[in-house]
Amino acid sequence: MSGALQAVFQNQRSFGLAIGAAFGGGFFAGQIDQSGTIYNLVVGPVASAQFSTKQWKNVNTATTGANSDIDGPQNTADIVAHGNATVYPAGHFCNDLVIGGFSDWYMPAKNELEVCYYNLKPTTTANQPYGINPNAVPARASNYTSGTPAQTSAVDFQSTGAEDFAANYYWSSTKNGTTYARCQNFSDGLQAVYLKDTSFRVRAIRRVAA
């Protein structure tokens, strides 16, 4: 995909809002398609919806559910139902937030987190060859190139901006087998699996039907 075409997608609008614009208690991060329903993704404010280090789980054992690549609300509900905040620090942190009068925050699923990276990438670092996302709007059937996605045009989300993602790993709510869960690096887009008891950043999101 060309840089010019990506710029068009980065400027996609919902209710007249550009990527990175204030919306729904946070900031508009793009759209996802779940079974034909389009949702607007809202990234929570960094001051209240992001935590620098949280374990996905405090022990590397099985979790019931939390296996969807796109349904972050259900994954988070599964996590919260399976154990308390001591057992599942990252999931409970997101689930328990109330920001801007909204209490439906959750930990993003793998493909939701990927949309946040694609549209709000903070750095100019070359991308790793990941990023296929059938749930993105528009859907993407190819991996990133070194230059696409480029650094976001939303100034507050660029490195050192007021709302930027750190250039490091963020947890998704999507587990991988019994002892691992999925995450994404917001420096270069690398998608990986790590043991659940690893401490990474987490940032809550919510969704609004388009």
Side-chain angles (χ1 to χ4, degrees):
M1 181 184 297
S2 70
L5 186 55
Q6 189 211 352
V8 172
F9 293 151
Q10 281 208 341
N11 286 325
Q12 74 176 295
R13 295 178 181 272
S14 178
F15 305 116
L17 296 175
I19 293 294
F23 173 61
F27 303 92
F28 180 56
Q31 296 181 319
I32 52 146
D33 181 340
Q34 182 176 339
S35 302
T37 300
I38 306 299
Y39 294 96
N40 302 310
L41 294 184
V42 182
V43 172
V46 70
S48 49
Q50 177 169 288
F51 203 91
S52 58
T53 54
K54 287 281 187 185
Q55 293 173 305
W56 201 96
K57 190 177 184 181
N58 69 347
V59 62
N60 298 314
T61 56
T63 301
T64 301
N67 53 13
S68 174
D69 286 343
I70 185 57
D71 196 344
Q74 185 61 56
N75 286 349
T76 304
D78 292 341
I79 289 166
V80 169
H82 197 254
N84 62 28
T86 299
V87 180
Y88 291 102
H92 275 273
F93 168 75
C94 296
N95 181 77
D96 296 346
L97 290 171
V98 179
I99 303 170
F102 299 103
S103 58
D104 55 351
W105 301 93
Y106 61 90
M107 185 158 63
K110 169 184 170 287
N111 287 352
E112 293 176 300
L113 186 65
E114 191 282 325
V115 169
C116 293
Y117 173 77
Y118 191 88
N119 288 327
L120 295 171
K121 179 186 175 181
T123 73
T124 58
T125 304
N127 300 298
Q128 298 286 339
Y130 296 84
I132 291 172
N133 190 343
N135 301 112
V137 177
R140 280 180 269 109
S142 300
N143 285 323
Y144 309 139
T145 65
S146 62
T148 301
Q151 182 185 46
T152 182
S153 60
V155 175
D156 282 348
F157 282 87
Q158 294 174 2
S159 292
T160 73
E163 295 295 335
D164 68 318
F165 282 86
N168 213 318
Y169 282 104
Y170 282 79
W171 278 126
S172 81
S173 59
T174 306
K175 72 181 185 184
N176 185 257
T178 299
T179 59
Y180 292 87
R182 295 188 176 274
C183 56
Q184 183 154 13
N185 193 312
F186 271 65
S187 174
D188 60 9
L190 191 151
Q191 295 176 311
V193 295
Y194 273 85
L195 289 169
K196 293 175 178 177
D197 69 353
T198 306
S199 291
F200 285 141
R201 286 171 171 80
V202 62
R203 190 160 180 177
I205 69 171
R206 58 185 299 268
R207 53 164 67 172
V208 180

